[in-house]
Amino acid sequence: MSTHTDVWVLYDTCKAAGISARIAPTPRIADAHASCGTSLLIDCTHRDEILSLANAAGVATNGVIEVENSIDPKRDRYC
Amino acid sequence: MTDYHPMWKELGMDLETHDLLCDALPAAFGDTYLSQENRPENMAFYDYVVSGIHGIRPAELIEMQKEGRKVFGTFCVYVPDEIVVACDGAVTGLCGGSQFWVPDGEKYVPADTCPLIKASLGAHFGKTCPYFMVSDLYVGETTCDGKKKAYEILGADKETYIMDMPQMKREQDVVKWKDEIAAFAQKVEETTGVALTVERLANAIDVINAKRAAIARVYDARKADPVPISGKDTLLMTQISFFDDPVRCAEMANKLADELEQRIADGVGVFPKGTKRIMITGTPMAIPNWKLHHIVETSGGAVVCEDMCTGTRYFENQVDNSGTTLEDQFMALSKRYMMNNCACFTPNPGRIEDIIRHAKEYNVDGVIDCNLKFCTIYNIEKPSVAKALADEGIPCLSLETDYADNDAQQLRTRVGAFIEMLGLK
Ligand code: SF4
Ligand code: SF4
């Protein structure tokens, strides 16, 4: 997401459209510059719909990155 | 993407090492938090804060400093936020909760020091935490021996003001703490250049009382079965409260509580009704220490209460705001803060009473008493905690851990067996 405000606008837009999304730290593969960044975690099936919502809401995105099955609650890697 | 590198550079941070820390967060947060089902919508604010944890709030604090306001870094719930807020300052909790900082801390204190102290020193000296870097002044307290010595080490590098905590809870100790609060107020006035008045302090007491009341509402909601919020999410809310703006903190906690109360009315929970209800007591869990909660909640249990400083001790008991002189107000603050039952006090029967009371109020099936490694004071209290719980017929599991990952499997085995045993009761 371009700015922290953008993430909120898009999150609220998704919520209003009944699409589930969660604000999350930007995955490192998407953020080579490690900026402690915010991103929106969405289901890939909603990708196009969300991008057009973002467009309509004037939200600038830095891109959409597919992260395959990266969540594992039993990995036990803490920070 | 907002690039915070220029801000971090300006703060004097070690950017290369800090990038390594940023590396670990997305996966750990994803595994621990985003893996949960049916989270309350109002956790979005807390997810947002974590996503920009080293950017968003530090940037706000820097803006405050540009207006001439000051940032006070604290390490204990005994330090009264009200005084700082009354003088237009900001408080940021600094206790380190990450293994990442421990090796740097071990360069300054023996390895057999508790990880919270090592991580705090490591965050300071490694220059990898913007909250340490942005603080104008550290405020320490004479609680445990390790912290007392750590403040000497920190104080050699950045100004560190120490509050001398009583070790007992007699009448004269409450008076002594009142005098310490008065002396601290003088220091805060000097640092901020703002004169403390009865009116300013009364307003600040209201602000912090409102924050406590809002957090209390979230905790109250956890008494329901099914529980409408996970222990992990509540812990995150509490951890973030330690460094967020107190007015916004109350607003966000109230929004979350509204949603939880609605969930209770609708019978919505995050775990099935009847899931074994666990209370955790022991040493505090500084952000991003989520290990034990995560293990419990991925082993068939639900954490419904934390009897600790990152839990009930942070929000219980309001400060009486009827004082008409600063002296009255300092006394009211002292009385409220002295109700916190830290293991650094002797004797400390109040902690046991709290544990039993909370176990009943939150209708818990079992208690996990867990201390960080090398935390002697909480470790020594374990047998008396276990005995008091046994007398009440409440099962208790005693654990010791640190911030590293390598005991997670062993903890899973013990926690899993404990929850299974609760199911057989
Ligand atoms: S456990 Fe004791 S020393 Fe630590 S924050 Fe709580 S009151 Fe302070
Ligand atoms: S966990 Fe124990 S040893 Fe560590 S700082 Fe807190 S009271 Fe001191």
Side-chain angles (χ1 to χ4, degrees):
Chain A
M1 223 47 59
S2 282
T3 67
H4 291 301
T5 324
D6 281 335
V7 84
W8 272 115
V9 175
L10 191 53
Y11 173 77
D12 286 337
T13 309
C14 287
K15 217 164 80 173
I19 303 170
S20 107
R22 293 235 73 115
I23 298 172
T26 308
R28 283 293 285 121
I29 53 161
D31 175 17
H33 205 39
S35 273
C36 201
T38 47
S39 64
L40 207 62
L41 190 67
I42 57 167
D43 189 320
C44 284
T45 54
H46 298 306
R47 178 196 176 113
D48 294 340
E49 198 181 344
I50 291 175
L51 279 176
S52 55
L53 283 172
N55 218 4
V59 170
T61 55
N62 289 113
V64 181
I65 308 290
E66 288 194 20
V67 197
E68 209 176 321
N69 262 345
S70 64
I71 292 177
D72 176 2
K74 295 279 176 88
R75 186 172 7 217
D76 285 325
R77 291 282 302 277
Y78 303 94
C79 56
Chain B
M1 179 97 48
T2 310
D3 183 4
Y4 288 111
H5 280 80
M7 179 183 85
W8 293 330
K9 197 164 172 212
E10 186 103 336
L11 285 173
M13 287 174 62
D14 173 346
L15 299 186
E16 236 171 83
T17 314
H18 181 250
D19 275 357
L20 298 176
L21 175 59
C22 291
D23 265 5
L25 180 68
F29 189 73
D31 290 350
T32 313
Y33 278 92
L34 303 175
S35 58
Q36 298 179 97
E37 301 281 334
N38 196 21
R39 295 174 73 209
E41 278 295 336
N42 282 289
M43 284 309 296
F45 168 74
Y46 303 98
D47 293 348
Y48 165 75
V49 174
V50 174
S51 303
I53 193 155
H54 278 183
I56 301 167
R57 182 63 179 153
E60 286 181 358
L61 294 173
I62 290 169
E63 283 310 306
M64 283 181 54
Q65 286 173 321
K66 284 183 188 157
E67 295 163 11
R69 297 164 68 191
K70 300 290 177 191
V71 178
F72 293 73
T74 63
F75 301 85
C76 176
V77 300
Y78 257 85
V79 176
D81 291 357
E82 289 88 343
I83 302 289
V84 175
V85 171
C87 290
D88 270 349
V91 179
T92 183
L94 290 180
C95 290
S98 170
Q99 177 62 22
F100 182 85
W101 290 311
V102 167
D104 271 339
E106 286 178 349
K107 294 176 189 158
Y108 294 86
V109 284
D112 57 356
T113 306
C114 98
L116 190 149
I117 293 172
K118 290 189 289 194
S120 302
L121 287 175
H124 168 89
F125 286 105
K127 300 187 189 306
T128 47
C129 176
Y131 295 96
F132 279 80
M133 304 301 286
V134 81
S135 294
D136 292 293
L137 177 81
Y138 295 154
V139 186
E141 16 54 47
T142 54
T143 45
C144 68
D145 287 353
K147 273 173 133 190
K148 278 188 280 206
K149 293 290 123 185
Y151 297 136
E152 290 173 19
I153 299 166
L154 280 177
D157 204 46
K158 183 182 272 207
E159 190 185 1
T160 303
Y161 179 86
I162 305 292
M163 296 186 77
D164 184 13
M165 278 208 13
Q167 306 286 293
M168 298 179 76
K169 292 206 170 168
R170 299 158 305 180
E171 200 76 32
Q172 65 260 43
D173 297 309
V174 179
V175 174
K176 176 184 159 39
W177 188 237
K178 184 254 311 170
D179 292 341
E180 272 302 307
I181 292 173
F184 176 55
Q186 237 177 28
K187 178 67 189 174
V188 174
E189 284 183 300
E190 269 167 42
T191 309
T192 58
V194 174
L196 187 64
T197 62
V198 171
E199 200 189 6
R200 277 182 170 277
L201 188 49
N203 288 340
I205 289 173
D206 277 345
V207 165
I208 305 298
N209 275 346
K211 167 175 159 171
R212 290 190 186 107
I215 298 175
R217 281 185 64 204
V218 173
Y219 267 70
D220 268 345
R222 302 170 79 192
K223 293 172 182 166
D225 186 17
V227 63
I229 183 169
S230 66
K232 270 188 291 197
D233 275 336
T234 319
L235 177 66
L236 184 64
M237 174 206 68
T238 308
Q239 290 171 332
I240 287 173
S241 313
F242 277 75
F243 54 86
D244 196 13
D245 170 76
V247 174
R248 178 174 50 205
C249 172
E251 186 193 330
M252 293 303 163
N254 274 322
K255 271 194 190 172
L256 179 59
D258 289 343
E259 183 182 355
L260 300 183
E261 286 160 11
Q262 188 57 52
R263 281 185 161 208
I264 294 170
D266 297 341
V268 174
V270 285
F271 303 108
K273 194 172 165 60
T275 299
K276 292 298 164 199
R277 301 168 64 85
I278 306 295
M279 179 169 91
I280 300 183
T281 184
T283 46
M285 296 173 170
I287 198 164
N289 178 8
W290 305 311
K291 184 164 79 172
L292 184 57
H293 277 61
H294 181 62
I295 288 174
V296 171
E297 296 192 331
T298 48
S299 303
V303 179
V304 297
C305 181
E306 297 79 19
D307 176 292
M308 57 176 62
C309 288
T310 44
T312 49
R313 277 187 224 149
Y314 191 55
F315 66 82
E316 279 192 338
N317 306 311
Q318 296 278 30
V319 176
D320 170 31
N321 205 2
S322 60
T324 52
T325 63
L326 283 174
E327 188 72 5
D328 288 347
Q329 292 172 313
F330 294 151
M331 193 58 179
L333 286 166
S334 176
K335 282 184 179 161
R336 186 268 160 195
Y337 281 88
M338 287 292 280
M339 288 167 97
N340 272 339
N341 294 308
C342 174
C344 66
F345 286 95
T346 185
N348 190 29
R351 178 166 171 240
I352 307 256
E353 287 157 21
D354 284 348
I355 291 171
I356 301 295
R357 175 171 58 86
H358 290 136
K360 290 180 178 169
E361 281 178 9
Y362 289 81
N363 198 17
V364 311
D365 295 297
V367 172
I368 297 181
D369 184 5
C370 181
N371 67 275
L372 286 169
K373 271 184 192 152
F374 310 117
C375 175
T376 317
I377 53 176
Y378 277 91
N379 202 12
I380 288 179
E381 286 198 351
K382 272 182 173 159
S384 38
V385 169
K387 178 175 181 315
L389 286 165
D391 289 348
E392 294 288 336
I394 303 165
C396 174
L397 172 68
S398 290
L399 295 176
E400 185 171 76
T401 186
D402 57 16
Y403 297 158
D405 301 341
N406 53 13
D407 65 347
Q409 210 42 54
Q410 194 191 346
L411 288 175
R412 274 195 184 284
T413 308
R414 296 196 58 195
V415 167
F418 181 63
I419 294 169
E420 208 178 302
M421 182 273 289
L422 296 177
L424 301 175
K425 268 190 73 197

